[in-house]
Amino acid sequence: MFLPWLPAIGHFSVFDDRRLFLVFLLVMTGFSYLGSRATHLARSPISWAAVVLFLLLGLISSVQSPVFGYAVLEWATFLLVFASVWVMSEVPASAFRSGLLVAVSLSAVLYVLMTLLRVFFAHLQAQPLPLDSALLNNFINLRYFNQWLSWLLPLLPAASYLLVPRCRTAFWRVALFLALAFLWGLLFHSGGRGTLFAIIGAAIVLLVVFGRSSHLWLTWQLAAALVGSGLAVWILGATWPWEIGGGAQTNVWSINDAGRLPLWRASFVLITDHPWLGIGPMQYAALQFDAPAHPHSFPLQIAVEWGVPAALLLLSLLAWMGVSWGLFARSRVKGEKASTREKIFLVGLTGSLLTAGAHSLVSGVIVTPMSLVMLVVLVGAAVGQYRAGQDGFDEKWRPPVAGRVADLSVRAVVLPAALYAGAFTLIEAGNHQYNWDVGGDAAWGSYAPRFWHQGKLVHHLDEQWLFFSIDGQPLPMVDESTRQ
């Protein structure tokens, strides 16, 4: 949770450094999964079957992919994300809640302090502060910063009320509010429409689902947004918050598509041509395509790369989980069994899940490493809260023989997936400079992040390159001489 303000290590870019950390996290939690009490998966055979079938379809799709190594890496990453979420859910709910909120709070406060120091020294030296430099503390792109905010902003109001008693002082509460307000100012400053509209949508859903129980959360967010807009004008030198966002070459209320529509049109063409198994996990990054290395939409990314059946399975599973979580959280917040601390936390956590989920429809929330770290931790927290809040849940329950066989089968797959992800990433990290030098010019004339900062995979295709034009019309496979 402290990664946003920690510097990169060695000669890697910040993005690649965070990717290495994410892989390390997933591999370690994958190993932890082997010793976890994961038998609760067998309680829901339908959802269990959906996960297994989704991963099976992804594995088949990987086998027929042009860049096989990275296709399997993407598949292994998804498997390890599922395993890591279950591992996180094993942590006792109350302890996880306290530790998570302390980490989130310190991360936000330290990030704000680091940003203020950069602004202060820029003014002290009478140097103009580049628009993006106040935001790109360890983020290579404004939009990756916005994705982090989509997870973080909704959870911060809960932190001021739910930290351990000795931290619940007026000073700490004011500090957290100012940190939240300044992050809102940075959001305005970045021109990040995805996060802004996602959190507005989440606020409406929270109001409908939780009613008066969401008023405290809404009050904090509205007050922080108002104070943050003033801070953006005063400290960051903006004119008005709704005119900020020059770093994104747009403003907060613009209605332009920010290059999304050509990406989505191209995605629909690819889905039409490869409906059943897709083009292969991470193979969007292997297209000779004058655009980014992913379609900037979570549902489209799965449908294009994994196939329509896999996308329908995953989206149906997530919809079922979302409805189940909403009903559970509402019953806990509206009921009398849950403590006030749990109720406040459930509202904030639901806001984070809603905001990030909505943002993923128009951005690479499941692509960037820092966002994936937040996904594993917060979704794991939600699963843990759900398990802890179920009446009659018995930790000593043992599934029937079929459930245990299925559980052992998954554990047997997780181990090689973790070993492969770790080994392949280290090997590719060793080729880092080659990827950096060759990939950008060969693919786009620029860098298109996906797994790495330079995420285009066309230099892995040897003599054949799949061309795809910006208007969504596919071009035939050609050899290297024709490409040149």
Side-chain angles (χ1 to χ4, degrees):
M1 303 300 284
F2 299 126
L3 285 178
W5 57 271
L6 292 176
I9 300 174
H11 65 283
F12 293 102
S13 71
V14 173
F15 187 95
D16 293 340
D17 179 81
R18 281 8 176 196
R19 179 66 68 184
L20 291 171
F21 175 82
L22 171 65
V23 172
F24 175 78
L25 169 69
L26 292 178
V27 169
M28 289 298 101
T29 50
F31 288 153
S32 299
Y33 179 86
L34 301 177
S36 68
R37 301 186 307 274
T39 51
H40 62 277
L41 292 176
R43 292 174 179 270
S44 180
I46 295 178
S47 60
W48 173 261
V51 171
V52 171
L53 186 55
F54 168 76
L55 292 171
L56 180 60
L57 289 172
L59 185 60
I60 297 172
S61 178
S62 300
V63 171
Q64 52 90 44
S65 299
V67 188
F68 172 77
Y70 272 100
V72 177
L73 176 63
E74 180 90 335
W75 175 86
T77 299
F78 269 80
L79 173 60
L80 292 174
V81 165
F82 282 120
S84 298
V85 167
W86 297 129
V87 170
M88 293 292 174
S89 73
E90 296 286 341
V91 181
S94 59
F96 196 174
R97 181 172 62 225
S98 299
L100 172 63
L101 292 175
V102 169
V104 164
S105 302
L106 289 176
S107 179
V109 170
L110 290 171
Y111 186 86
V112 167
L113 289 175
M114 182 176 66
T115 303
L116 288 174
L117 284 174
R118 295 188 67 178
V119 174
F120 172 75
F121 283 116
H123 286 302
L124 192 65
Q125 298 171 8
Q127 296 179 352
L129 183 68
L131 180 65
D132 296 349
S133 67
L135 299 165
L136 297 183
N137 290 326
N138 298 332
F139 291 97
I140 65 170
N141 189 296
L142 289 172
R143 298 302 152 246
Y144 306 158
F145 170 74
N146 294 150
Q147 292 165 11
W148 179 60
L149 288 185
S150 291
W151 294 104
L152 182 68
L153 286 182
L155 201 56
L156 279 180
S160 65
Y161 285 87
L162 301 185
L163 293 180
V164 290
R166 60 178 175 272
C167 293
R168 291 171 57 192
T169 63
F171 172 79
W172 183 245
R173 188 166 294 181
V174 170
L176 275 180
F177 175 79
L178 291 177
L180 176 63
F182 192 75
L183 289 173
W184 266 99
L186 294 178
L187 172 61
F188 286 129
H189 187 54
S190 71
R193 294 171 295 170
T195 298
L196 180 63
F197 294 146
I199 201 169
I200 290 174
I204 295 172
V205 174
L206 291 179
L207 187 60
V208 171
V209 173
F210 298 118
R212 296 179 60 182
S213 299
S214 66
H215 288 182
L216 176 64
W217 184 91
L218 291 169
T219 301
W220 264 73
Q221 296 292 358
L222 286 173
L226 290 173
V227 174
S229 63
L231 291 175
V233 173
W234 175 44
I235 297 178
L236 301 177
T239 51
W240 294 102
W242 48 84
E243 294 174 350
I244 305 171
Q249 298 179 348
T250 184
N251 60 61
V252 170
W253 306 114
S254 172
I255 60 172
N256 71 65
D257 60 47
R260 298 295 194 273
L261 291 182
L263 285 174
W264 296 343
R265 284 197 299 267
S267 298
F268 281 116
V269 172
L270 287 167
I271 291 171
T272 302
D273 291 341
H274 307 273
W276 300 112
L277 292 176
I279 61 176
M282 211 187 295
Q283 301 307 293
Y284 200 95
L287 299 174
Q288 177 67 348
F289 185 26
D290 187 18
H294 60 92
H296 286 69
S297 174
F298 160 61
L300 283 180
Q301 180 176 324
I302 301 300
V304 168
E305 296 185 341
W306 294 59
V308 174
L312 291 177
L313 275 172
L314 183 59
L315 293 176
S316 299
L317 177 63
L318 293 176
W320 174 80
M321 291 175 62
V323 172
S324 299
W325 170 260
L327 294 174
F328 160 75
R330 177 183 170 85
S331 66
R332 298 291 292 181
V333 170
K334 294 289 187 180
E336 298 180 354
K337 293 184 179 181
S339 64
T340 302
R341 294 166 62 85
E342 182 184 350
K343 292 178 180 180
I344 295 174
F345 178 71
L346 288 175
V347 173
L349 183 57
T350 304
S352 290
L353 298 175
L354 285 170
T355 303
H359 195 188
S360 73
L361 300 178
V362 295
S363 185
V365 171
I366 66 166
V367 172
T368 57
M370 193 59 232
S371 180
L372 275 174
V373 170
M374 299 293 284
L375 182 152
V376 168
V377 173
L378 295 188
V379 176
V383 175
Q385 290 291 320
Y386 184 85
R387 292 179 57 204
Q390 294 296 303
D391 293 331
F393 188 89
D394 183 9
E395 287 286 352
K396 297 182 179 180
W397 176 84
R398 283 287 180 261
V401 174
R404 281 180 291 202
V405 170
D407 183 39
L408 290 174
S409 300
V410 171
R411 293 172 192 260
V413 176
V414 167
L415 177 60
L419 293 173
Y420 177 86
F424 188 87
T425 300
L426 288 177
I427 292 172
E428 283 297 293
N431 298 327
H432 176 267
Q433 194 59 50
Y434 171 79
N435 297 340
W436 187 271
D437 293 339
V438 176
D441 291 336
W444 190 15
S446 180
Y447 297 120
R450 181 65 189 261
F451 187 82
W452 302 108
H453 184 176
Q454 192 307 94
K456 287 286 192 176
L457 304 179
V458 289
H459 55 284
H460 287 267
L461 291 176
D462 298 326
E463 295 183 355
Q464 288 195 325
W465 303 66
L466 177 60
F467 277 72
F468 207 83
S469 63
I470 193 69
D471 61 0
Q473 298 301 316
L475 299 174
M477 297 289 287
V478 295
D479 60 25
E480 177 71 7
S481 61
T482 303
R483 187 188 77 83
Q484 304 237 347

